[in-house]
Amino acid sequence: MQCYTELTPPTTVTHALCFPFLSPDSINLVVVRTSLLQVFSTKTFVKELDTGSQIYTSPEDFDQVTDRRILDNEGIEQSFLGVDAKVQRAERLNLTKLVLVAEYALSGTVLSLARIKLQHSKSGGEALLVAVQDAKLSLVEWDPERHGLSTISIHYYEQEELQKNPWAPPLNRSVNYLTADPRSRCAVLKFGSRELAVLPFRQAGDDLVMDDYDADIDGEIQDQSMSRIVNGNVSTADTPYSASFVLPITALDPTLIHPVHISFLYEYREPTFGVLSSPLVTSTSTLHERYDTLAYTVFTLDLEQRASTTILSVSGLPYDLYKIIPLPPPVGGTLLLGGNELVHVDQAGKTNGVAVNSFARDTTSFSMADQSTLEMKLEGCIIEQIDTEKGDMLMILNTGELAIVSFKLDGRSVSGLSVRRVSSDNGGHAVKAAASCAVLLTKGRMFIGSEDGDSVILGWSRRSEQQSKQRRQSEEQFMEDGIDEEDMDDYDDDLYGTTDSEFKRNQDTITSRDSNMSSRGTGEYLFKVHDSLLNIAPAKAIAFGYPASNSTEANEQDANRHLDLVVASGRGRAGGITILNRELRQNLVERFDLPGVTGVWTIRAKRPAVEIPSEQASIRLDNAYATNQEYDTFMIVSKSTGEGQEESAIYALATTGLEEVKGTDFDPTAGGTVDAGMMCKDTRVVQVLKGEIRSYDVDLALAQIHPLIDESTGAEPKILHISFTDPYLLLIKDDQTVSVIECHEDGDLEEVDMGETVTGQKWIAGCLYEDHRRLFRCLPKTDRIADKERNVLMFLISSQGSLFMFNLIDWTHPPYTVANVTLFPPRLSPSYTMKRSSAQAGIKDMLVAELGDEVARCPYVIFRTTSNEVILYEPFHAEFNETAPWDSSTLQLLKICSPSFTRSAVSWSPEETVHKADNQSCHLHAIPDLGGCSTVFIPGEYPCFLLRSAASSPKLLRVREKGIVGASGFHTKNCEKGWLYFDDEGVVRSAQFPSKVKLAELSWPARKIHLGEEVQALSYHAPMGDYVLGVTVKQDFELPKDDEIHRNWAKEDLSFKPQIDQGTVKLLTPINWTIIDSYPLQPNEVILCMSTITLCVSEHTDERKPLIAVGTSNTAIPDLPSRGTIYVFDIISVVPEPRRPETNHKLKLIAREEVKGAVTSLSEVGTQGFLLAAQGQKCMVRGLKEDGSLLPVAFMDMMCYVSVVRCLPGTGLCLMGDAWKGVWFVGYMEDPYKVSLFGKSTGRLEVISAEFLPSGDQLYILIADADSNIHILQFDPEHPKSLSGTHLLSLRIFHTGHFPSTLTRLPSTSPSLSLSLSPTPTSTSAHQTQILLTSQTGSINLLTQVPETIYRRLLTIQSHLHTTLEHACALNPRSYRLTGDAYAFGGERAVLDGCLLRRWYELDLAKRAEILSRVGMGLGIGRGADRRGGGAGAGAGRGDSGGEEAFREDFRAFCAGGAGDGVLGFF
């Protein structure tokens, strides 16, 4: 049995839409990544620049700037005034960044998006209509009360009765898409070959007489219902849509036999759409018989009568038009996009066209303007309007290059259009790859999605606007600096000079600058990238290799646990590789040996600020803008002396290392430090001991001793946890009482009287948090609580499991209270009530801290349970209005469920937890600035970081180092924005986050290396520790001039030549990820496959050596069968280049063999070091001879080209898959050399990749086809349906939703957990096999063999989750995974859906216990505290009564990657 799990989400952006979704006035971007829907908001982020006068085309360019004074806030030089740039004040750059609001994994592949403005919506914003494969529509809106999506309706058009044409292609083979009326009156789904599904929507003016109404003239109708629905006075019983209907497109016009594209148009009173179609099939091969076969027809739709009227028809259009782009005012009409031309059609049928290459005049007689010198290819390009006044449009070509489409307007009439490229100096190459979608965000900002590279936010401006802005900013600058008119006169004298030489020098400067501006163009667009979304697709090839630091490690077993996963990413100019790691590898800076350390704290002491007299303020102008780095000054260490005693020490953080501070009032013999921090605006050092609190000034002079003694009993309580938030200090004691200490402005510490509400209850956890952004808005704004005051909140968990939130400024206000927190429901609010359940979890610790980066940070309420789960809640207000009174009932906490939170690798074992309870290992640590990120560290045996970026959800990343006990922030000159941690061996280390690594965008840390060339193949050479890449670049293709058969080829004179791939083998070193050697192939030769194979290199000594085998194809002559070549390379050591020690390796060609047919796949076969190559329509076994030739020893005729060849190591079992006949299971024998067929798959199967999946004595075969399905076959000769093994049994089909690219078999190093879960250990195997799947959407997935006992448990729970959970867009996950013929096998033995099983943690504990009791797994929840104390507790046993613990172990081990040496543990 198998389980399919998604390790990383898809990264390609397929669709995007910008509209007010969260509220009527918001600007939200909805992005779809195949099956992942994300909702973003935009934020203006101020980036300070350091230098440069170039145009920045990527976000990384802004980090390389070193002098920001010569740039204005649009990135343009501002030295035109002739003043010295060194005396100008530094400017800032305003960047638009994306901030993730929510994301949802959909059970379906999204086809299209459309915005619909409804009469009534819960948020007041617009609704979203989602078209899902194959023909489903889901209407959703944003629900502010739930802070999530709410499905209004779902519409299904996949019934067989709607497929009226029996010989039409199936829905999954048709082009299906959605288009909506701009006024939201209806939407049309085109599905099948010629079917239209029309979905009308109710609007405000439906019941009015609209004959004489025109919105452009009379204005918009005031919708009174919207204001009423916001106030809650109107019933919304009626649905926002009317009954939909389906009609064939030929019902509109019988000539619409071959529709090309359909789209609704602007500025029409009734719903009106245009259809681009042809009565005959259009093809390039029929141009000698017919051309200009397309026609553009405009229809108006009567929704009540379900009829249409033709209002416009234009025929004789070029055959290669493929898309309709409706144009809003001021241009209007329609822009028709073709492969060689652009055609504009206005509302009267007048046409204007422009040809962009020389092929246009050869393929059409349509009248167009000639701009063939542009030599553009418009296939796959995206066009979007960027100027709402002149109607200019931005065109993104399929190479990523930018162009501007301009219209010549005579009033409202278009008299012509033109196209011009954007130069690289103006950011014309800012986009690296083809765009899949483009949407305008705001004025001057556009989001461009891509499937071939990173998606970006592109900003632009005009040079004419820049010049006026620069002058205005310079004038304002002088006014801000306090320069009066007299000074301005003196400045003018200085500027123009008093001597002839000075005047001439200034005039030359201005003349040179003006000529430079005019050469660039005063009205040109300037483009630059503001933000980007990571994309690792298409993942054509992957390889595992050691990092450079581990290449020489002797202990290979330890190195295997830290391998890199290298993925080929990007296409074209966006090509490169992405390095993925299972764990976070940080940059170690320093190491300190401090034996017996039990705690470390770094503090940053500041002297009290001294006020500067006003008359001296202007003198310090330059210093006010100088960089002032403030570093940590001291480190307090708590040590164990080994005799049961503890002491403390304080060290000064110097540039040379640690220097122990002596001769101060700091007393090391006072005992061990429990916690330490800064208070009173960082002017007081506060040290918390077990029995007292000591306060020091910045010179470590003792200021105060505050004893911690219970006044009623006189006993010294034990401090379990401390929370610092200036000016308060929270103490949680072992008797479950709390104390709050306040630090006054003079530095004195005083205990706060908290009242009966706090002192009369028992508390188990708590923390302090300063609400800078006032997101926990639960108190009214009064004179007592002003905005300028620090809003410090205290969060406490009572022994009854209730959450209390107090504002420390006003104790008279009742606290914010939420009951039954320990059930962890999806949403927490004061109104949340649930019948008390025994399935409550124990809370070990809680923390309220911010997560995020420098762009956006958000507070989260973080719980850590006794069963070592990490649970996050995000605060939000269900209904909030700035003008309305503040109401604490609107504050809710939304549970954040991330797949990475379901891992068990975050803590010590129960026994170790008791042993380490007195130090920092029990508590969460908030580090406010670690590499620019606000993060939370979770110590333990497998320590982790909780972090997020602005454009991602919170992620949990495991640190490579094990057994970290405590940590603290660490900011020094040698380790800026780093952190300090220590392990249980007393070793203290300082480290930093790695640079250029995306930590939170994926579930794994990722670093992208841009090469500028598309990587087709990838392999790792273990002996040398280098990677070999097969890259391709585009080059002009020319027909052979010396061909004797086609002598006319020599006379061909073509300026606009086609492009063809040219391959090169390159050597990449992991030391600095640069190319150190390359081997160019023959012209027109492209690499198809590459593999590292251990070959026999000596016929006499039988020596084996890992070599790089490369298979290629040469397509120089188009009308002849292609030929291929097999290359065999070795990597040798050479003398490195000067000052480049990494260039000590080179490629050496060992063998080169030309063969008939393209070499499509390579693999090692047998035990004698031979090579199996798929060449043409044969699969041939070859051996390497000492003379460099490859001798064939055995072969098999395949009768078609083979797409994949796989061999089971150590055996002669082989798989051969093709795109027509399916997969062949063959055996290779070495004595005599022979290849025999064992079995074949039945029926047609388009194989993209295949792999063996052995399990015990069973042999399974995994196949990924072109329909994004996974087929699991079995070779079982004893089964009667296999016909003695000649037919491979088809067991299961599982739909992934992602087009596959590779399948890789991974050996697991973890024994099966069924030894501990099942009472019959004899049925277990020592190891399990996993298959790593990569897809062209950037998703990385895992298929795991699951023992029968675990499979039955998880399958039963999965069936309950289908009906218990709420699914986004109301899509059915069961029908999504079981498509087509999969229903014939039923769901009883289906593949487990790990993505659905992960959502188990969305349920509250009471619901989990109910489901587990139904499936007979017992309760067993939340008894970790009992077992930690030594008791077994309910459900502590394994087997069928393991309950929640059993499920957690089952699922984590086989779906979530496990811990330590678990699944994928070798990373």
Side-chain angles (χ1 to χ4, degrees), residues 680-699:
C680 195
K681 299 180 180 179
D682 294 342
T683 61
R684 281 287 189 270
V685 180
V686 178
Q687 179 192 19
V688 182
L689 303 175
K690 291 185 177 181
E692 62 187 18
I693 301 177
R694 296 194 175 195
S695 173
Y696 306 87
D697 62 11
V698 294
D699 296 323

Side-chain angles (χ1 to χ4, degrees), residues 888-909:
S888 61
S889 63
T890 64
L891 176 63
Q892 298 187 23
L893 301 178
L894 178 66
K895 189 176 182 180
I896 305 298
C897 293
S898 175
S900 59
F901 299 160
T902 62
R903 300 170 56 195
S904 60
V906 295
S907 70
W908 306 94
S909 63

Side-chain angles (χ1 to χ4, degrees), residues 278-357:
S278 172
L280 302 174
V281 178
T282 60
S283 174
T284 306
S285 60
T286 60
L287 285 177
H288 63 283
E289 297 180 0
R290 56 180 181 269
Y291 52 87
D292 296 343
T293 57
L294 292 182
Y296 173 68
T297 311
V298 178
F299 299 91
T300 181
L301 192 61
D302 189 344
L303 299 177
E304 294 184 359
Q305 302 297 328
R306 299 187 178 183
S308 63
T309 303
T310 304
I311 61 176
L312 175 66
S313 181
V314 179
S315 59
L317 295 175
Y319 85 103
D320 58 344
L321 297 176
Y322 64 91
K323 190 175 183 180
I324 299 174
I325 303 176
L327 302 180
V331 179
T334 304
L335 184 65
L336 304 181
L337 180 60
N340 305 313
E341 65 281 318
L342 295 172
V343 178
H344 178 266
V345 182
D346 63 10
Q347 293 183 350
K350 178 184 175 182
T351 60
N352 291 277
V354 57
V356 296
N357 58 49

Side-chain angles (χ1 to χ4, degrees), residues 40 67 79 129 163 281 391 417 425 456 486 526 576 850 919-920 935 969 987 996 1055 1066 1068 1137 1232 1311 1413 1450:
F40 293 93
D67 186 1
S79 57
L129 187 62
Q163 311 301 318
V281 178
L417 66 159
D425 294 337
V456 299
E486 247 177 62
L526 306 174
E850 292 185 349
N919 54 34
Q920 293 177 321
T935 179
V987 179
K996 301 180 181 180
S1055 59
K1066 294 192 175 184
L1068 180 76
E1137 299 177 6
S1413 62
D1450 293 351

